[in-house]
Amino acid sequence: MLKFTRINRLWRLPQWMNWQQSVFLPSVSEIESSVPLRVLVLLLVTVGIIAKDIAAETQSSFWAVPLSIVGASWSYYRRHNRNVSVKFGIAIGMLVALGAFFGRLLGELNDTRLVLAELLIQLQVLHSYDMPRRKDLGYSIVIGVILLGVAATLSQTLAFAPVLLVFLGVALPTLIFDYRSRLGISNFQDKKEKRKSERISAVLPSYFLLFTLILATGLGIFAILPRFPGYQMRMFPVSSNIEVKGNFTGRSIINPGYVRQGNGNGNGTGMGNGGNGEPGKVDSSYYYGFNSRMNQNLRGEMKPKVVMRVRSQIEGFWRVLAFDKYTGKGWEISRNENTQTFKRSPWSYQIFLPRRNSTGTTQEVVQTYAVVADMPNLVPAMSYPKEVYFPAPMIAVDTENSLRAPVNLVDGFTYTVVSEVPIRDRTLLGKAGTAYPASITKNYLEIPSEIADKVRDRTEEILADYNKHRVGKSDKSLDSNYEKALYLAQYLKQNYKIPESLNEFPFLTEKEDLVEAFLFKYKGGYPDHFSTTLTVMLRSIGIPARLVAGFAPGQFNPFTGMYIVRNTDAYAMTEVYFPKYGWFAFDPIPNHPLIPPSVEETQTFSVLQHFWKWVAGWLPSPISGFLNNLFEVIFTWLTKTFLWFFGLFAKGWFGIVQGLIIATAFGFSGWLTWQGWRKLCNRSALRKLPPMESLYQQMLQWSDAKGLGKHPSQTPLEFAKVSYQQHTTATAEVIDEICQAYVDWRYGGYAPNLHRLRSRLQEMKRITNNSAWLQRRS
């Protein structure tokens, strides 16, 4: 009995009773009954889920959207109930979702964005079954925004753009209804009380104007936003871990084009048939040069298709592999057996590669490659990769510093490379000299003896002709290997042509040499033939060179920030070795830039530059030339300023303090400028008003600056009456007189004594300012 009494007393305690009431009794606090707001929030979350599915190519919306609709309907009809049993079920479901999240997280530590997004969707579906209050709807709005942000980071195509526009279109009315709910304004007013201006037909023009304004402002900010080199994080995107079976040596190159031709091991020679089974034809999908041997006697065209998307703040040549031995009709990798493999630790996706031995200046460039079509097991990367974040446990590097994977690169394969890209300094490379290491002269000067003398004579004749015509002129003479390589590449571009038909450069016979036929017989050849000819010409005069194959940068998409690379972007060019500085590329192919794009070109304002190139194409040449020079000066200065400022924070504590001082001074100057601009605009607006209206507004602004402004619901006479309680009697009398004159002018049509009112207002301001100054002095 005593025990029961104690329990009964505990049950009657105030704290226990409050808890009992909060759990078991219904509450009407903050209950949201607005159907339009609930529908808009549901649409916002639905768009966020669909956006994530489109960007990540998942199918969460097939189950999440219907369950969210059911949950939102349940929440509305049960919004006045506590739904304790449902809450327990939601809690259990959230624990299950959290357990599944940690299970997936351990398997995908390389990129947790998608895993976190899936958890967020699961929690939102559960949360939709119990959101009776406005703040609960606010949580769902935030979840929708987060899902859209995740989709933006995962997106690689413009398919995300329409979803973003839909999201913006839904978000604007959602925020308006949410704001009205926060202010306590009912969305279910009587239709008779609504004015015509509040009808949908009258509101739509304002809505579309706001939508257009926000869209234009966002695109403008996106265009002028600077893009700084490299990534600002060290957790790079990598696809899921790949299991590798067998002993991987890295010596085999698996080209799907050659596998499809019947070569079962995938290590085709590149000398056989094309993909369509006809002799001498190249494959229609795969570049013929991505193999251990390149047969340049093949003919044909590839059907364009996207093979990968690259995210890199620096436009570059996506290097795949290089060849050292010229065969007369193509190239091969002669030291394929010397390929080395490098493994990563089992708990990290990072593979460290040997650093290059050179004294030249380099810049770190990070690239992320997203493969979207089957490719060989060759790994594209910019020059001199030092770190590779790779899903496979190992990677191979051959003697030409090309990367090879243990498996083919297939759709969905993602990896990241950190490269030390050398900066091309023409002056330093011109002074590099000819002190070549023995390994360089042994492997990169060899050419067939049958054509050596003939090619060397032709090359020296071209160089001598240049020097003969430049005697006594200020132009640089060809006294360095760099200038010779540069001139020969330009000479081939200008004096040899690409055939328009197969008959102009037919198949070579067994005894014909490609370079000899190019220079002396056909006076031209196909694009890769130009690079082969330049490489052999340089070798003939003692300059080490090799053929390198890879992808051009591709088409830059300013909305996704990625380069869209197609199979038709693959080609070969020449790499030349310079002592102490390493290998640098030269492109002799017509209609290609002589020097491939690299770190020397600023990409800070890349989106704006691409947009300007499109606009400049419609302008007359003199105007576009002048504007190009002007914008180049402006952007160069801005880039150097940005890089200098952010470089301060890398110079220790002194640099950080210096950067903070500069940022504070710049911010204060911007604030002063903004205040001045506001005053100028205010004065301009006051001048456009009628004199009495302008005087009245000046008085209100002065009062508002004192912290005693007029409430929107007050009439002028009510404000004048209240001013006697807030100001001195003299000040209140001036306010009362101005308010009375304003009302008489506005509603009675009486002409005010503007001269007297202005004098009274100025006198009031002077007396008030003097009183404030005396109070500060005392």
Side-chain angles (χ1 to χ4, degrees), residues 136 225 332 368 388 408 437 448 457 490 560 649 671 684 706 717:
D136 297 328
L225 196 68
E332 68 178 23
T368 295
V388 182
N408 275 28
D457 292 343
Q490 187 65 42
T560 63
F649 293 91
W671 179 80
S684 176
K706 299 297 181 182
L717 297 181

Side-chain angles (χ1 to χ4, degrees), residues 111-138:
D111 191 358
T112 59
R113 294 172 297 173
L114 190 56
V115 183
L116 289 169
E118 292 287 349
L119 174 64
L120 202 60
I121 291 174
Q122 294 165 5
L123 296 182
Q124 163 57 28
V125 171
L126 294 170
H127 171 68
S128 65
Y129 283 83
D130 184 40
M131 49 181 190
R133 297 170 177 81
R134 175 181 51 77
K135 65 180 182 180
D136 297 328
L137 295 172

Side-chain angles (χ1 to χ4, degrees), residues 73-378:
S73 303
W74 165 271
S75 296
Y76 177 73
Y77 288 108
R78 300 280 299 181
R79 63 188 183 280
H80 294 291
N81 301 89
R82 285 294 179 180
N83 304 318
V84 177
S85 58
V86 175
K87 290 182 178 180
F88 275 110
I90 292 174
I92 295 173
M94 288 185 174
L95 291 175
V96 173
L98 189 62
F101 163 73
F102 283 115
R104 288 191 61 189
L105 186 65
L106 294 176
E108 299 184 23
L109 288 174
N110 52 297
D111 191 358
T112 59
R113 294 172 297 173
L114 190 56
V115 183
L116 289 169
E118 292 287 349
L119 174 64
L120 202 60
I121 291 174
Q122 294 165 5
L123 296 182
Q124 163 57 28
V125 171
L126 294 170
H127 171 68
S128 65
Y129 283 83
D130 184 40
M131 49 181 190
R133 297 170 177 81
R134 175 181 51 77
K135 65 180 182 180
D136 297 328
L137 295 172
Y139 297 152
S140 295
I141 293 174
V142 174
I143 290 175
V145 174
I146 294 175
L147 289 175
L148 190 79
V150 173
T153 63
L154 294 172
S155 177
Q156 298 180 4
T157 66
L158 277 178
F160 175 72
V163 182
L164 182 60
L165 294 178
V166 173
F167 186 89
L168 178 60
V170 176
L172 290 178
T174 303
L175 294 176
I176 293 173
F177 275 92
D178 182 68
Y179 183 66
R180 291 171 61 89
S181 178
R182 291 174 185 272
L183 294 178
I185 301 175
S186 174
N187 293 316
F188 294 101
Q189 299 177 359
D190 190 353
K191 292 183 179 180
K192 295 182 180 179
E193 297 179 0
K194 290 188 176 182
R195 296 180 301 174
K196 293 182 179 181
S197 60
E198 294 179 341
R199 294 176 180 174
I200 295 179
S201 58
V203 173
L204 279 179
S206 301
Y207 168 77
F208 285 116
L209 178 63
L210 179 62
F211 180 89
T212 305
L213 180 63
I214 293 175
L215 185 63
T217 304
L219 291 176
I221 294 174
F222 177 80
I224 65 175
L225 196 68
R227 268 78 171 161
F228 296 105
Y231 280 59
Q232 304 302 316
M233 59 180 181
R234 301 302 296 186
M235 285 294 291
F236 300 125
V238 183
S239 53
S240 302
N241 187 45
I242 297 174
E243 296 290 337
V244 177
K245 299 180 180 179
N247 183 23
F248 172 64
T249 62
R251 298 175 185 174
S252 297
I253 297 178
I254 309 171
N255 191 319
Y258 298 128
V259 171
R260 195 170 63 241
Q261 294 166 26
N263 189 348
N265 59 11
N267 189 22
T269 64
M271 310 295 286
N273 298 336
N276 56 8
E278 297 180 13
K281 293 286 187 177
V282 299
D283 188 270
S284 61
S285 299
Y286 300 93
Y287 180 61
Y288 73 109
F290 293 157
N291 210 353
S292 56
R293 300 188 72 187
M294 174 191 283
N295 179 13
Q296 294 186 293
N297 199 24
L298 301 176
R299 302 289 185 272
E301 294 183 358
M302 288 188 294
K303 297 179 181 178
K305 69 173 182 179
V306 177
V307 293
M308 63 181 182
R309 302 185 184 98
V310 184
R311 186 182 300 280
S312 174
Q313 303 298 61
I314 297 296
E315 186 179 49
F317 178 74
W318 320 124
R319 188 181 187 275
V320 177
L321 81 170
F323 302 90
D324 62 333
K325 184 178 181 180
Y326 175 62
T327 62
K329 292 183 178 61
W331 294 84
E332 68 178 23
I333 302 173
S334 64
R335 295 169 291 163
N336 197 45
E337 67 281 355
N338 295 336
T339 301
Q340 295 179 299
T341 58
F342 297 89
K343 296 183 179 180
R344 61 171 170 84
S345 62
W347 56 83
S348 173
Y349 285 84
Q350 187 179 29
I351 302 176
F352 292 97
L353 302 179
R355 307 292 285 270
R356 77 190 194 104
N357 184 20
S358 65
T359 59
T361 306
T362 61
Q363 180 174 323
E364 182 180 279
V365 179
V366 181
Q367 322 110 61
T368 295
Y369 299 83
V371 180
V372 297
D374 290 351
M375 295 173 60
N377 64 322
L378 300 169

Side-chain angles (χ1 to χ4, degrees), residues 57-72:
E57 298 181 357
T58 55
Q59 298 179 347
S60 301
S61 54
F62 285 102
W63 62 268
V65 173
L67 290 179
S68 296
I69 294 174
V70 174

Side-chain angles (χ1 to χ4, degrees), residues 641-652 655:
T641 302
F642 276 114
L643 295 177
W644 169 79
F645 174 73
F646 286 101
L648 292 175
F649 293 91
K651 296 181 180 180

